[in-house]
Amino acid sequence: MPHDESAAPLRSLNAAEWDHTYDRTVAGWDEEPPPVLGALLAAYAPPPARIVDVGCGLGTTARWLADRGYTVTACDFSTRAIEAARRRTPATAAVRYELLDATDPASPLHPFPVVLDRGVLHTCPTDGERRTFAAAMSRTCGPGGLWFHVGAAAVSEEDALNQSCGPSWTTEETFLDAVSPWFTVLTLHTADFGRRPGVTDWPARYAVLRRRAT
């Protein structure tokens, strides 16, 4: 769907806007991942791997990972999200939360062997923002690291939609254009994002990517 040139420029929400979203909105997208993600992780990065959950939101996926034996660092730039995630996470869980923006080149995140973005890249509504995010994932992975991506998938160009408030649906070509400077795709297929009928059961792209050495 073409962008209306008379409208405000497309951009992703900033930290303050996400704080407002968490204050005023029930996070209907927040649920544990479906089994397809667990199967991919088990096949390519079985526990006890170290993994960073980028854009962790309320920590649901981070806790799900910890329950499966992963050692998890979870980060988000929304203060409200991190506060809520910490409240919801048992002190015994193998999850450490960090308030930071993973796309900031000065981010203190050290390279991890495994990076997960579930529903984060698809909040970037422009090619430039998607490339910026992919470059950040390359820094966070480090050479040889794995990036597990889950995000809204457009089946055709006619179905593609870039929007600021909600998932941006991208074609496979658009996705590959964003990630190819840094990553090699190991597997890519489409399955439901979540399991809530009419809420999160929309088509999502599941990709496992390896960070190139150079």
Side-chain angles (χ1 to χ4, degrees):
M1 179 180 294
H3 175 57
D4 181 358
E5 296 296 335
S6 65
L10 284 171
R11 63 169 178 81
S12 56
L13 300 182
N14 60 35
E17 289 165 333
W18 273 110
D19 283 346
H20 180 78
T21 298
Y22 283 113
D23 282 340
R24 301 296 181 90
T25 306
V26 175
W29 64 88
D30 182 61
E31 64 174 319
E32 289 189 349
V36 59
L37 180 58
L40 282 174
L41 285 163
Y44 287 91
R50 282 193 312 120
I51 186 167
V52 58
D53 179 14
V54 174
C56 66
L58 303 178
T60 300
T61 299
R63 292 186 292 275
W64 178 87
L65 290 166
D67 287 344
R68 281 152 181 78
Y70 293 94
T71 299
V72 186
T73 296
C75 65
D76 205 292
F77 67 0
S78 167
T79 301
R80 296 291 185 271
I82 291 295
E83 290 173 345
R86 286 173 173 157
R87 287 195 304 269
R88 297 177 183 204
T89 302
T92 56
V95 182
R96 184 179 84 252
Y97 290 103
E98 299 283 355
L99 177 63
L100 57 83
D101 181 355
T103 65
D104 184 345
S107 165
L109 281 178
H110 297 293
F112 282 76
V114 183
V115 176
L116 170 66
D117 118 70
R118 183 171 181 250
V120 186
L121 175 62
H122 75 206
T123 67
C124 301
T126 67
D127 290 338
E129 286 201 2
R130 285 186 280 268
R131 284 191 293 270
T132 295
F133 185 83
M137 295 303 93
S138 74
R139 294 191 299 270
T140 306
C141 281
L146 294 178
W147 172 18
F148 288 77
H149 161 74
V150 183
V155 177
S156 66
E157 190 64 42
E158 290 72 24
D159 296 329
L161 173 65
N162 284 337
Q163 56 183 3
S164 296
C165 297
S168 289
W169 303 74
T170 59
T171 63
E172 184 174 316
E173 180 180 5
T174 298
F175 172 75
L176 293 176
D177 180 66
V179 305
S180 60
W182 302 276
F183 291 91
T184 298
V185 177
L186 302 182
T187 186
L188 189 155
H189 63 276
T190 302
D192 288 351
F193 182 83
R195 290 174 282 188
R196 295 180 181 174
V199 180
T200 60
D201 59 340
W202 33 267
R205 182 175 297 109
Y206 286 77
V208 182
L209 309 100
R210 187 178 300 281
R211 170 72 159 90
R212 295 199 185 102
T214 58

